[in-house]
Amino acid sequence: MKEIILIIRPEKLEVLKSILDEKNCGGMTISTVMGCGTQKGTVEGVNEIKGFKTTINLLPKVRVEVVVEDSKVEQIILDVREKVATGHVGDGKIFIRNIEEAIRIRTGERGEKAL
Ligand SMILES: Nc1ncnc2c1ncn2[C@@H]1O[C@H](COP(=O)(O)OP(=O)(O)OP(=O)(O)O)[C@@H](O)[C@H]1O
Ligand SMILES: [Mg+2]
């Protein structure tokens, strides 16, 4: 099992939810977060004030966590690249980590059966 963590533009949440629904993901956790990437939150033409040295600026993003079977990971990445990218900086990032165990509290099911 893998946890896929996606940090995306808030306006792309609906399309991401559709992708995860199509892939029959068992659940997801979503939070609103603030963050920055390599541009440190500068937005072209907005906070590039002449002669003014801005510090790091944090922009609102949505963080989606979803734990899935290993076999689903690559197709989710492809669909996200296809449907969530705008081609502009700030499209977001995907992080993936191994999950050792999952347990459905109600039934005691474990592993992929618990997803
Ligand atoms: N290395 C990182 N560690 C943790 N969170 C990150 C990292 N890079 C990006 N993020 C999160 O992802 C969000 C979107 O990042 P962003 O898409 O701007 O990344 P980037 O590397 O600057 O790519 P791009 O050049 O396409 O903008 C950030 O606001 C932050 O919340
Ligand atoms: Mg960026």
Side-chain angles (χ1 to χ4, degrees), residues 71-90:
S71 59
K72 290 184 177 167
V73 172
E74 288 303 322
Q75 191 59 53
I76 291 172
I77 295 169
L78 284 176
D79 285 8
V80 169
R81 287 270 301 115
E82 186 187 328
K83 294 175 181 156
V84 173
T86 68
H88 297 284
V89 298

Side-chain angles (χ1 to χ4, degrees), residues 30-45:
I30 297 181
S31 357
T32 57
V33 294
M34 302 290 284
C36 68
T38 49
Q39 293 81 18
K40 308 291 183 217
T42 53
V43 180
E44 279 173 68

Side-chain angles (χ1 to χ4, degrees), residues 15-99:
V15 64
L16 178 57
K17 279 160 59 186
S18 312
I19 293 169
L20 298 178
D21 190 33
E22 276 168 23
K23 299 285 169 297
N24 292 315
C25 293
M28 67 187 80
T29 303
I30 297 181
S31 357
T32 57
V33 294
M34 302 290 284
C36 68
T38 49
Q39 293 81 18
K40 308 291 183 217
T42 53
V43 180
E44 279 173 68
V46 176
N47 54 359
E48 296 177 316
I49 304 162
K50 282 192 279 309
F52 184 76
K53 201 167 178 343
T54 52
T55 54
I56 288 178
N57 184 41
L58 301 175
L59 297 171
K61 298 286 169 182
V62 169
R63 175 185 163 109
V64 178
E65 297 157 56
V66 57
V67 178
V68 298
E69 296 92 326
D70 291 10
S71 59
K72 290 184 177 167
V73 172
E74 288 303 322
Q75 191 59 53
I76 291 172
I77 295 169
L78 284 176
D79 285 8
V80 169
R81 287 270 301 115
E82 186 187 328
K83 294 175 181 156
V84 173
T86 68
H88 297 284
V89 298
D91 271 350
K93 235 165 236 187
I94 304 174
F95 298 106
I96 296 176
R97 55 188 172 198
N98 285 314
I99 291 291

